[in-house]
Amino acid sequence: KQEVTQIPAALSVPEGENLVLNCSFTDSAIYNLQWFRQDPGKGLTSLLLIQSSQREQTSGRLNASLDKSSGRSTLYIAASQPGDSATYLCAVGKNGNQFYFGTGTSLTVIP
Amino acid sequence: EPEVTQTPSHQVTQMGQEVILRCVPISNHLYFYWYRQILGQKVEFLVSFYNNEISEKSEIFDDQFSVERPDGSNFTLKIRSTKLEDSAMYFCASSVDTYNEQFFGPGTRLTVL
């Protein structure tokens, strides 16, 4: 069974700093990988989707990379803002039908 | 911007009662999903649904659970006889196909007493 781990569990940074969130997975035979943010008590907001054939995807200040062979993905956030404070979840797609989620990284951006 | 909606936002029920959680997926999406998140734990896949059939289900999705698309817009999750351990946030998601993003609803918080 696919196991997804996110490190660190929590991160606190000053506003304006660039940061990297890490996601690792045990089975490299993935279909795709999606990053989400989750605000307290709320649903999941899609940030980026990377197909298994891709190496990276960019959206605004966010850049996600994928290295299937090493079982890793990173989410890079440039010039962090207080509004970026949330829990970031990595979800690894098995076959297009289901995701395996990590436990998330709780990010706090200090003004 | 189109979004997935879920009702109710919070449901409280007694153990052993049946509950139905409702979702309206994004209108042009063809694939539908239910996930749950027990407080403080990972989001877990329950079931995927396409073309009026279950595509895949997890070991959590036992005989107590069922899904249905009763009309052209709603997608429901029924729990026949709720247990205390069913207390969780239940998320509905939809996607246009299996290659694209899954979009999640705001969730229904189910509390079983």
Side-chain angles (χ1 to χ4, degrees):
Chain A
K1 185 186 168 185
Q2 181 74 272
E3 295 292 336
V4 183
T5 305
Q6 292 186 247
I7 294 172
L11 182 63
S12 185
V13 300
E15 182 178 0
E17 201 163 284
N18 302 326
L19 59 103
V20 174
L21 308 180
N22 297 292
C23 171
S24 61
F25 45 93
T26 53
D27 186 348
S28 62
I30 70 169
Y31 191 83
N32 53 19
L33 186 147
Q34 191 166 350
W35 282 92
F36 296 87
R37 70 174 276 168
Q38 184 175 29
D39 293 281
K42 301 286 177 64
L44 281 64
T45 301
S46 177
L47 297 174
L48 288 163
L49 173 76
I50 309 179
Q51 302 294 348
S52 63
S53 58
Q54 296 176 315
R55 297 283 296 186
E56 65 179 299
Q57 277 286 350
T58 298
S59 175
R61 294 183 294 110
L62 306 179
N63 175 277
S65 68
L66 174 64
D67 183 346
K68 275 197 315 178
S69 60
S70 65
R72 291 174 196 266
S73 176
T74 61
L75 180 67
Y76 174 83
I77 302 177
S80 57
Q81 302 170 357
D84 295 331
S85 298
T87 296
Y88 289 79
L89 300 175
C90 164
V92 176
K94 174 184 170 183
N95 52 11
N97 276 316
Q98 71 174 81
F99 279 123
Y100 293 96
F101 279 81
T103 45
T105 294
S106 176
L107 173 66
T108 303
V109 181
I110 304 163
Chain B
E1 187 173 320
E3 57 183 18
V4 176
T5 59
Q6 291 185 242
T7 54
S9 56
H10 191 188
Q11 172 100 41
V12 181
T13 190
Q14 295 290 327
M15 190 169 57
Q17 295 296 304
E18 174 184 286
V19 294
I20 297 176
L21 310 183
R22 291 183 166 79
C23 168
V24 178
I26 295 172
S27 62
N28 65 328
H29 286 187
L30 301 177
Y31 291 78
F32 315 116
Y33 315 86
W34 283 101
Y35 292 82
R36 79 172 186 190
Q37 185 176 32
I38 295 171
L39 189 64
Q41 297 188 22
K42 293 183 179 185
V43 176
E44 300 173 291
F45 169 77
L46 293 177
V47 65
S48 59
F49 191 86
Y50 168 71
N51 199 26
N52 283 317
E53 294 188 338
I54 290 175
S55 309
E56 192 151 354
K57 60 183 181 179
S58 71
E59 60 272 13
I60 303 168
F61 193 87
D62 62 21
D63 292 344
Q64 291 299 311
F65 291 88
S66 62
V67 288
E68 193 178 33
R69 189 152 161 84
D71 54 43
S73 59
N74 289 285
F75 178 52
T76 62
L77 174 69
K78 182 194 292 186
I79 309 175
R80 256 179 275 283
S81 178
T82 50
K83 307 184 187 77
L84 295 176
E85 54 265 36
D86 293 328
S87 294
M89 182 76 95
Y90 287 81
F91 293 109
C92 172
S94 69
S95 63
V96 62
D97 55 39
T98 60
Y99 300 102
N100 285 286
E101 296 165 276
Q102 291 186 18
F103 291 90
F104 279 64
T108 293
R109 180 166 298 284
L110 176 65
T111 302
V112 182
L113 302 176

